[in-house]
Amino acid sequence: MTERPDKLNNQAILLASGGEYTEAIACFKRAIIIQRDNYLLWYNLGVTYRDSGDLKNAVSALEKAHQIAPERTDVIETLGTLCLQNGDVESALEYTEEGLDFSPETASLWNLRGVIYFNKGKYETAGESFEHALCINPYYADALYNLRDTYEELNNKTGMIECAKRLSELK
């Protein structure tokens, strides 16, 4: 019986969801040997490395997924988030801007952009990014929380109250 990449991928996802990262990574690697240019296998391998705490290999696998499928905003967003977590703010911003070039209507990318600028202390730009995310998806709770915190930094009491009101309406 021949191993199929899709079956190995599914098996690896199940293993990873149970915390069996070493076994899951082995499955992804076997699948990649069979189908080297499948971005999804590289993406899932990267996410599994990330979940196991191996951020270096996570970034490496995600960069390979990005090379194969440069238009995939899920890959770009995950890379941006990992870079931010690793303290590489400039790379995080580059990936986020690249993702927005491909998909300007992705609220989560606007939110990530806002988080990056918030961390840089550029609250006006952060606020604009969170507001843009909320224009796309008015029910995006993370962006509302982030915008509320940004308004607090900007001493915008009215904005904070409005965000708190909208958050309570979402519950």
Side-chain angles (χ1 to χ4, degrees):
M1 177 186 236
T2 348
E3 289 184 319
R4 292 183 19 204
D6 59 328
K7 298 282 187 192
L8 287 166
N9 182 59
N10 291 341
Q11 181 181 0
I13 290 170
L14 283 173
L15 288 166
S17 69
E20 298 177 52
Y21 300 117
T22 304
E23 295 83 356
I25 289 166
C27 280
F28 285 127
K29 286 181 174 180
R30 281 200 318 269
I32 287 169
I33 288 170
I34 299 166
Q35 201 170 53
R36 196 138 183 83
D37 288 332
N38 183 329
Y39 97 90
L40 185 60
L41 295 173
W42 286 101
Y43 175 75
N44 288 338
L45 176 62
V47 169
T48 303
Y49 273 129
R50 178 201 65 199
D51 293 349
S52 75
D54 185 347
L55 301 184
K56 182 181 176 199
N57 279 321
V59 169
S60 179
L62 289 164
E63 285 174 342
K64 180 65 178 173
H66 183 53
Q67 287 174 344
I68 295 167
E71 74 289 348
R72 293 295 309 201
T73 56
D74 53 345
V75 175
I76 293 170
E77 184 176 352
T78 304
L79 262 170
T81 302
L82 264 179
C83 288
L84 183 61
Q85 289 172 341
N86 285 336
D88 186 357
V89 177
E90 291 311 311
S91 292
L93 187 57
E94 286 174 23
Y95 281 121
T96 303
E97 297 293 349
E98 181 182 340
L100 287 169
D101 286 344
F102 280 116
S103 183
E105 295 305 310
T106 303
S108 58
L109 283 171
W110 283 103
N111 185 62
L112 178 57
R113 182 178 187 267
V115 169
I116 293 166
Y117 278 111
F118 186 94
N119 285 332
K120 291 176 84 159
K122 297 187 176 190
Y123 303 117
E124 291 286 341
T125 306
E128 291 168 6
S129 297
F130 297 133
E131 289 167 354
H132 199 101
L134 289 165
C135 284
I136 296 167
N137 179 0
Y139 305 102
Y140 192 1
D142 285 348
L144 268 172
Y145 281 113
N146 292 334
L147 184 58
R148 182 197 61 200
D149 293 347
T150 303
Y151 284 157
E152 183 176 5
E153 290 295 327
L154 293 169
N155 204 25
N156 178 345
K157 304 266 189 248
T158 305
M160 286 173 54
I161 292 168
E162 182 60 31
C163 286
K165 178 182 162 196
R166 287 181 60 192
L167 281 165
S168 70
E169 291 170 357
L170 291 179
K171 291 179 181 177

